[in-house]
Amino acid sequence: MDSGSTFAPNDDVRIPPRALATEAVHAGRDDLARQGLHAPPIDLSTTYPSYDSRGEAARIDAFATTGAEPEGPPVYARLGNPTVARFETALARLEGTESAVAFASGMAALSAVLLVRGSMGLRHVVAVRPLYGCSDHLLTAGLLGSEVTWTDPAGIADALRPDTGLVVVETPANPTLAEVDLRAVAHACGSVPLLADNTFATPVLQRPAEQGARLVLHSATKYLGGHGDVMAGVVACDEEFAGRLRQVRFATGGVLHPLAGYLLLRGLSTLPVRVRAASANAAELVRRLAADPRVARVHYPRIGGAMISFEVHGDPHEVIAGVRLITPAVSLGSVDTLIQHPASISHRIVDPTDRHAAGVSDRLLRLSVGLEDVEDLWADLERALGGATTADRLVTAEPGTASVV
């Protein structure tokens, strides 16, 4: 094999089971030493020369039939890219699935799943709120011809129809961090594929495929990249569904740039370390926020993680305006700590009635905890909370009365 231009997931030799931390460092890179390389190459080619046009035609026909990765050298970047394939291989191994297919964004990945099922005449979707605001909007607006039934986890089985093509959940959910029992939900789905958005948890904290989810969605922009400098999405799944996703990606052009694939592969190598360190910071901040009289409620998932949501007695906009170390910005999962007001940004597009019913109150703030020293983070939060609380609220609030849910 040369500088990596022909790498595909099936090129890996049979590899014995390895710990997650080991997979994070080595998956997608197992062939490098045999090539005399240490860092994975970046293949920026958009097209690949071939003097065998008959062979190319046969390979394209095969791709059109099954969506399987073309054997031999690449053909065109819209069919697949060797650098991106390395990231796909690594993510599939971390999630414990046969395959993974990467896209230009998390929304492009979700759109591709909906298009696959819709092309089979299965346009009905059952979904549980809350979801990421744009995912909610995509389903509610029916922009891709889908029809959605919103329900709680207990109502999934009753909501299924003959034309139901997908059940969608996010756990922990954005932004309330509500959790669902994936195994129970998968059982309720029957033969309908369950898609679990695993962006917040990452495979470090849970692997939905092991609990029955057929599709595992990530906004790879977040923890998988981890540094706020790459936008991507990915679906981990079985090879049959992956083939259909590749066909949609080829037809619609929602491809991931090779440089983004490289950055994501690099990000995976530190994913377990980053998630665990940020989670330790988050757990300490949860303890302090729950004891603070200016905080009405703290939301933190049972599985842990680096995401916190909390509701304040005062004005949440003043908290946003008052931070100095913490970055007031949309998105999450970076090495630095970010804070945002979901009702104003990430979930603004969701109807207010639906938003409130899903537990996204107007006083809710979402905190993506990073790798800074926890004392510095708390000092910044405490200062910002002070600017959000009026004197009379401080007088009436009782210390330590915030509940953690």
Side-chain angles (χ1 to χ4, degrees):
M1 193 181 300
D2 61 13
S3 63
S5 63
T6 61
F7 179 87
N10 291 334
D11 287 337
D12 271 7
V13 296
R14 184 171 296 277
I15 298 167
R18 304 186 295 202
L20 183 94
T22 304
E23 291 286 23
V25 173
H26 289 280
R29 307 167 181 84
D30 294 288
D31 64 314
L32 293 180
R34 298 193 301 274
Q35 297 186 62
L37 299 172
H38 187 234
I42 306 175
D43 189 328
L44 295 172
S45 296
T46 57
T47 191
Y48 299 86
S50 173
Y51 293 97
D52 181 10
S53 57
R54 292 186 182 88
E56 276 202 340
R59 291 194 297 134
I60 290 174
D61 285 347
F63 177 83
T65 302
T66 66
E69 299 260 19
E71 295 183 5
V75 178
Y76 185 58
R78 200 150 37 85
L79 275 82
N81 171 272
T83 307
V84 172
R86 291 183 180 278
F87 163 66
E88 292 171 331
T89 296
L91 193 277
R93 291 189 68 87
L94 289 178
E95 283 289 5
T97 59
E98 290 179 336
S99 302
V101 183
F103 295 86
S105 69
M107 292 308 301
L110 177 57
S111 296
V113 173
L114 294 173
L115 289 171
V116 166
R117 299 305 279 167
S119 70
M120 302 169 69
L122 302 170
R123 299 184 180 278
H124 180 242
V125 177
V126 175
V128 175
R129 281 190 171 117
L131 295 176
Y132 168 53
C134 287
S135 299
D136 188 309
H137 176 67
L138 180 65
L139 294 173
T140 302
L143 297 177
L144 297 177
S146 60
E147 176 190 351
V148 64
T149 297
W150 295 100
T151 185
D152 58 26
I156 288 174
D158 291 337
L160 299 178
R161 306 188 326 206
D163 63 337
T164 302
L166 196 66
V167 174
V168 180
V169 300
E170 181 177 7
T171 182
N174 186 353
T176 66
L177 303 175
E179 295 171 275
V180 301
D181 183 336
L182 282 172
R183 199 174 300 279
V185 167
H187 182 264
C189 291
S191 61
V192 177
L194 170 63
L195 181 148
D197 188 328
N198 202 32
T199 298
F200 277 20
T202 80
V204 177
L205 299 179
Q206 72 179 7
R207 305 215 297 184
E210 294 179 348
Q211 301 178 60
R214 185 177 178 189
L215 308 165
V216 182
L217 175 72
H218 286 271
S219 173
T221 307
K222 312 305 194 295
Y223 286 104
L224 302 189
H227 293 76
D229 55 8
V230 60
M231 183 170 286
V234 64
V235 179
C237 56
D238 57 73
E239 176 55 27
E240 179 186 357
F241 206 101
R244 293 183 178 273
L245 288 173
R246 293 186 197 106
Q247 290 174 323
V248 168
R249 183 176 64 182
F250 173 69
T252 60
V255 296
L256 184 66
H257 192 276
L259 181 57
Y262 172 85
L263 290 172
L264 288 167
L265 185 64
R266 187 176 67 170
L268 289 184
S269 64
T270 60
L271 178 65
V273 176
R274 287 187 286 105
V275 169
R276 288 166 182 150
S279 297
N281 276 349
E284 176 60 21
L285 292 178
V286 165
R287 186 185 68 81
R288 299 187 188 192
L289 285 167
D292 195 294
R294 297 162 295 188
V295 177
R297 176 176 290 186
V298 181
H299 302 262
Y300 191 61
R302 287 170 295 178
I303 64 170
M307 297 299 300
I308 305 170
S309 290
F310 61 97
E311 299 169 46
V312 296
H313 289 295
D315 185 350
H317 300 284
E318 291 300 319
V319 179
I320 297 291
V323 294
R324 293 295 178 266
L325 174 66
I326 297 168
T327 302
V330 72
S331 198
L332 57 105
S334 186
V335 290
D336 61 319
T337 301
L338 307 176
I339 192 170
Q340 66 118 319
H341 182 238
S344 295
I345 306 179
S346 63
H347 289 70
R348 187 67 178 178
I349 202 168
V350 179
D351 180 88
T353 301
D354 294 332
R355 190 168 67 226
H356 295 153
V360 186
S361 79
D362 292 338
R363 293 186 182 272
L364 185 74
L365 292 165
R366 191 189 74 189
L367 190 70
S368 170
V369 182
L371 303 180
E372 301 94 339
D373 187 278
V374 72
E375 298 297 337
D376 292 328
L377 290 174
W378 177 244
D380 196 41
L381 266 180
E382 191 173 36
R383 182 169 50 248
L385 285 167
T389 309
T390 61
D392 60 326
R393 287 196 182 96
L394 279 171
V395 170
T396 59
E398 292 296 329
T401 57
S403 60
V404 180
V405 295

